[in-house]
Amino acid sequence: MIFKCAVKVCVQKFLETTLFRIEELDMTDQLALAELREYVEGTASTDTPPQSRPQFLIKQRMDTAGMERTDVILSCAYPPEYPNVLPEITVRCTGLSRAQQTQLHTELNAYLLENCQGDVCVLAALEWVKDNLQLFTNRSLSAPKKESPAPQPREMFSRLWIYSHHIYNKVKRKNILEWSKELGLSGFSMPGKPGIVCVEGPRSACEDFWSRVKVLTWKKIMIRHREDIPLDHQGKDSTVVESIDSLRKFTGFEEAVFAPHGNRGNHMDLGQLYQFLNEKGCCDVFQMYFGIEGRQ
């Protein structure tokens, strides 16, 4: 009943009474929307809440001083417990750098946690972005210029092993794939319960990836293990000793599934996961995740 009431608020009140305030709204999963409407209206074949969740994009063009009108896209997904649990909201803005977008996500989530917990809040998030976007552009414009560049830190190769209580949400899974590709990272993600993500590449890119992922709404997420290896660009014979690519254990980035099973198909075969890690030369991580030694 609580979920059904939340869906009514999300699907009916939001879409019908506030659509005039949004320039463009794109429902990314029409099938999920149809299933939810049938459930709310009582025309579904079963009284069980559907597994699918509303997911949509809100596209706005906003004015900011110091730059032309800026395109802003809010990617939104509702968890089953919404509005008691905040929705998944990712903001993309063509006028902001990656670092500025990361800071915007952090401050937006802090605002929603403090002011909107337990209430419908997508429009509140949109209004907050409209009101505060200027602040992030101003930070870039007003940043003092340095007379000489700071010394560059020693280049490092990193590999992050990230653990999440679960990874189900399609938007999160899409973000993980897109961000890893954008940042030139290799590795893999395993959806389900638990969720595992491994990214490897330049340390700065790995840190950027982690800063984006951790500000999303999670039941639990953490870096279980990390590897940092300094790069020595030149040896005694003036040749390259180590490079980023020579240290990679994965080719590209993929979402890996291993014989899904369970009532919701959300548990993976850990034996197959162990074999996969063993083939990549990193089976020792299995014990760090699960506290047991794997077997082939």
Side-chain angles (χ1 to χ4, degrees):
M1 178 60 70
I2 294 175
F3 174 72
K4 185 174 289 189
C5 292
V7 172
K8 286 182 179 179
V9 173
C10 301
V11 177
Q12 294 178 344
K13 182 177 179 181
F14 172 72
L15 293 180
E16 294 173 4
T17 67
T18 62
L19 187 58
F20 70 94
R21 301 175 63 184
I22 299 173
E23 293 179 7
E24 184 176 351
L25 186 142
D26 181 13
M27 302 299 297
T28 58
D29 192 337
Q30 294 297 325
L31 178 60
L33 180 61
E35 291 176 347
L36 287 165
R37 278 179 171 160
E38 289 179 356
Y39 174 69
V40 170
E41 295 167 359
T43 59
S45 58
T46 175
D47 196 44
T48 303
Q51 295 295 321
S52 53
R53 299 291 177 251
Q55 298 178 13
F56 54 90
L57 301 177
I58 298 175
K59 302 177 182 180
Q60 292 268 278
R61 180 161 289 183
M62 301 181 184
D63 291 315
T64 57
M67 64 173 65
E68 298 180 354
R69 299 191 73 188
T70 303
D71 292 324
V72 177
I73 299 177
L74 272 70
S75 176
C76 308
Y78 289 124
E81 301 83 1
Y82 181 78
N84 293 323
V85 175
L86 293 177
E88 310 288 348
I89 298 179
T90 302
V91 182
R92 298 179 184 177
C93 177
T94 56
L96 297 179
S97 66
R98 287 199 294 257
Q100 289 171 322
Q101 289 192 121
T102 298
Q103 187 63 32
L104 185 149
H105 278 125
T106 301
E107 296 187 20
L108 172 60
N109 277 287
Y111 168 80
L112 296 178
L113 282 170
E114 182 177 353
N115 298 281
C116 302
Q117 190 78 45
D119 296 324
V120 290
C121 63
V122 172
L123 284 176
L126 180 61
E127 292 299 325
W128 185 93
V129 172
K130 286 183 178 179
D131 294 340
N132 292 273
L133 183 63
Q134 182 66 60
L135 300 177
F136 294 92
T137 59
N138 285 345
R139 290 175 190 177
S140 176
L141 294 172
S142 62
K145 296 182 179 179
K146 298 180 180 179
E147 295 183 0
S148 58
Q152 293 296 318
R154 189 178 186 186
E155 189 173 0
M156 299 279 287
F157 171 88
S158 290
R159 184 179 296 113
L160 304 184
W161 295 93
I162 299 169
Y163 168 89
S164 172
H165 180 269
H166 63 264
I167 303 177
Y168 299 146
N169 185 274
K170 292 180 180 179
V171 174
K172 287 180 182 176
R173 291 164 63 181
K174 182 180 178 181
N175 284 339
I176 289 171
L177 290 170
E178 289 183 348
W179 290 341
S180 60
K181 181 178 180 180
E182 175 189 340
L183 296 169
L185 299 172
S186 50
F188 75 99
S189 64
M190 186 187 80
K193 182 179 180 180
I196 294 175
V197 180
C198 172
V199 289
E200 59 179 9
R203 181 168 64 176
S204 58
C206 289
E207 295 292 353
D208 193 344
F209 177 87
W210 172 240
S211 68
R212 299 186 196 188
V213 168
K214 70 179 180 181
V215 298
L216 301 177
T217 305
W218 302 91
K219 183 172 183 179
K220 180 180 181 181
I221 192 166
M222 61 183 295
I223 296 177
R224 177 73 79 181
H225 178 62
R226 69 177 298 152
E227 303 166 54
D228 294 305
I229 304 172
L231 297 181
D232 297 318
H233 292 285
Q234 199 169 31
K236 295 180 180 179
D237 56 354
S238 299
T239 59
V240 174
V241 177
E242 289 180 332
S243 66
I244 293 291
D245 288 341
S246 70
L247 294 171
R248 295 182 190 268
K249 293 187 177 181
F250 299 89
T251 302
F253 191 95
E254 63 178 329
E255 183 176 82
V257 294
F258 306 100
H261 60 279
N263 294 333
R264 297 177 58 187
N266 58 355
H267 293 280
M268 300 296 167
D269 186 304
L270 297 185
Q272 291 188 20
L273 170 63
Y274 177 80
Q275 290 181 357
F276 173 77
L277 294 174
N278 187 48
E279 290 171 0
K280 302 298 182 180
C282 43
C283 59
D284 54 323
V285 177
F286 187 89
Q287 187 172 11
M288 296 180 188
Y289 272 109
F290 303 104
I292 58 175
E293 294 184 2
R295 298 180 180 178
Q296 297 187 18

